[in-house]
Amino acid sequence: LKEISDLSCEFPQVSPKVFGKEHQWGYTLSYLSHEDSHLTYFNSISKTDLNTGETKTISFGEDHYPSEPIFVPKESQTSEDD
């Protein structure tokens, strides 16, 4: 196993079109920052480039707690993260 990020997260997801295949992107339930890791619930969703470890995170605001991300591809999906 290879650590890609030190982000505290759970419930990793990928596009269903890449299940069981090499892929670039992963989506997780996470904390907005390390300072938030004391919270009872995760407060954001992150998209991580599994090749570089670069992560983009979105929060839904104070007192909002998302649940497991589900990837729904566009009907006209042309790339893995469409």
Side-chain angles (χ1 to χ4, degrees):
L1 294 174
K2 177 176 110 176
E3 183 176 313
I4 296 168
S5 170
D6 64 352
L7 182 71
S8 295
C9 59
E10 287 187 1
F11 305 114
Q13 292 289 323
V14 297
S15 169
K17 294 189 179 211
V18 299
F19 284 159
K21 301 176 186 173
E22 289 283 328
H23 53 277
Q24 180 177 3
W25 303 104
Y27 302 85
T28 56
L29 191 57
S30 60
Y31 292 112
L32 185 59
S33 69
H34 292 290
E35 291 77 32
D36 291 340
S37 63
H38 70 281
L39 297 172
T40 303
Y41 303 106
F42 288 104
N43 60 0
S44 62
I45 292 179
S46 295
K47 175 183 176 181
T48 301
D49 183 323
L50 303 176
N51 297 322
T52 67
E54 180 182 354
T55 300
K56 295 180 182 177
T57 302
I58 184 170
S59 172
F60 298 93
E62 190 173 339
D63 296 325
H64 289 83
Y65 305 98
S67 60
E68 179 180 357
I70 304 296
F71 189 94
V72 180
K74 293 180 185 176
E75 282 188 40
S76 60
Q77 182 180 17
T78 58
S79 66
E80 179 185 331
D81 65 336
D82 270 350

